[in-house]
Amino acid sequence: MLSSENSFGAEYASPDDPEFIPKYRAACFCGGVRYEVSADPVDVKICHCRACQTLHGAPMQWAAIFHKRHVRVTAGLDLLHFYNSEQDRDERILPCKISCSRCGTPIADEGRRMWLAFPTLFDFGPGNEVPDAFKPTCHLFYGLRVADMRDDLPKWSGHKNHSDRL
Ligand SMILES: [Zn+2]
Ligand SMILES: [Zn+2]
């Protein structure tokens, strides 16, 4: 469980760091896994790739990217399930997917330096209005979309800045 040496990883905010001021709180569906972030995301994207569709059971993935130092898990470390899709191994081999082993909610994609959060887990307060900082800036793998997006955001055929703009 959580301890002062931060068993989740030294690159994350310490659970008892007095300088860490939570800006947003997130929880899985069952509430067993909880975490906090102390900053706004550095980027927000919507991914239409097949892996995201399958892993989320959804037409697309909405992801907000944070530095790990702005993230701390506050509950449910023992519930976290890790899955590395490249190697098809349910181990914490980065980059990997994190989900709640009790309710199945995808918690985050854990990269080597970054934490890709799913804003649907966040508590945005009364009314749950999405803050501007969490509005997507682009669409990835847009050629694989199941529905057209009628917005002005850049739409990439693959990864941002490394594929054709559609
Ligand atoms: Zn859960
Ligand atoms: Zn994807």
Side-chain angles (χ1 to χ4, degrees), residues 90-124:
D90 52 349
E91 290 175 50
R92 194 180 182 188
I93 302 166
L94 304 184
C96 68
K97 314 271 173 193
I98 304 179
S99 59
C100 172
S101 60
R102 187 193 288 157
C103 68
T105 300
I107 303 293
D109 285 355
E110 184 180 26
R112 287 175 186 85
R113 293 182 302 118
M114 310 303 280
W115 174 270
L116 276 71
F118 306 129
T120 40
L121 277 65
F122 280 56
D123 175 8
F124 292 129

Side-chain angles (χ1 to χ4, degrees), residues 31-117:
V33 178
R34 297 180 179 277
Y35 73 89
E36 301 169 340
V37 297
S38 62
D40 282 326
V42 296
D43 199 6
V44 183
K45 64 193 178 66
I46 288 185
C47 185
H48 299 259
C49 85
R50 285 286 295 151
C52 288
Q53 291 171 355
T54 304
L55 286 158
H56 289 260
M60 63 195 84
Q61 178 210 64
W62 176 26
I65 304 167
F66 295 88
H67 290 284
K68 289 184 177 181
R69 65 179 180 275
H70 294 141
V71 176
R72 68 178 180 192
V73 178
T74 54
L77 269 189
D78 54 328
L79 289 174
L80 298 182
H81 178 264
F82 301 95
Y83 176 66
N84 177 297
S85 59
E86 277 168 39
Q87 299 182 32
D88 188 28
R89 285 166 67 179
D90 52 349
E91 290 175 50
R92 194 180 182 188
I93 302 166
L94 304 184
C96 68
K97 314 271 173 193
I98 304 179
S99 59
C100 172
S101 60
R102 187 193 288 157
C103 68
T105 300
I107 303 293
D109 285 355
E110 184 180 26
R112 287 175 186 85
R113 293 182 302 118
M114 310 303 280
W115 174 270
L116 276 71

